[in-house]
Amino acid sequence: KAGVTQTPRYLIKTRGQQVTLSCSPISGHRSVSWYQQTPGQGLQFLFEYFSETQRNKGNFPGRFSGRQFSNSRSEMNVSTLELGDSALYLCASSYGRGLGDTEAFFGQGTRLTVV
Amino acid sequence: AQSVTQLGSHVSVSEGALVLLRCNYSSSVPPYLFWYVQYPNQGLQLLLKYTTGATLVKGINGFEAEFKKSETSFHLTKPSAHMSDAAEYFCAVTRGGTSYGKLTFGQGTILTVHP
């Protein structure tokens, strides 16, 4: 069974540009969550999509957005990049039923560097 | 609101010694609790989880954790450390239901294992 796949693994962008990151969840999983990991702030929740709808949202500015497609694949977009957006972006997938028998599986992340 | 506090950003043990990583949580509702491990430049791997039922939870690689509601703690232990246990460990909490996909993480504890 394939795991969570994030592409690309590494990305270098210039301030002011925009970027799109992709996440393919485990087959059958309908929930995709995104997290930002930085040395200073740790792991912070960005948003969660379930069946193409944003179900939960963290405290990030509107420059951070996402979407989910009918096949559960998800994309995350960051517009007008700032130096502080440099981070490891992690995606996690789960069945999303909210039951105790489910767990979130993480991808290997996309390392974004803004210069 | 939920929060997680991991006591000690760095823990150092000798190979074969007991590993104890501390986690305290705050939650207004019965929590779901998790421990994840992260190796350099990798995503997060689930070690174990507590949802309901038995408060002593066994996970992979010989790790276990005990949920103590009265102390709001979920400490991670391993009787005998191995060199391969060196990594960063994260405690996380979430609610059930539609908030299940939103994990709140602690700041992480870097475990160093000395020969």
Side-chain angles (χ1 to χ4, degrees), chain B residues 4-78:
Chain B
V4 176
T5 301
Q6 290 184 236
L7 299 175
S9 58
H10 290 81
V11 170
S12 181
V13 300
S14 297
E15 191 173 20
L18 170 73
V19 174
L20 171 61
L21 304 182
R22 300 178 188 272
C23 172
N24 287 89
Y25 70 91
S26 170
S27 177
S28 58
V29 298
Y32 292 165
L33 294 158
F34 305 83
W35 275 101
Y36 283 89
V37 61
Q38 186 178 35
Y39 298 97
N41 296 316
Q42 298 292 318
L44 302 176
Q45 180 183 11
L46 181 69
L47 283 175
L48 48 79
K49 64 180 180 182
Y50 169 79
T51 54
T52 59
T55 57
L56 182 61
V57 180
K58 294 188 184 299
I60 63 171
N61 301 337
F63 285 94
E64 61 181 40
E66 186 170 12
F67 170 61
K68 292 187 176 180
K69 185 178 179 181
S70 61
E71 299 177 8
T72 60
S73 69
F74 191 57
H75 301 331
L76 181 72
T77 61
K78 182 174 180 177

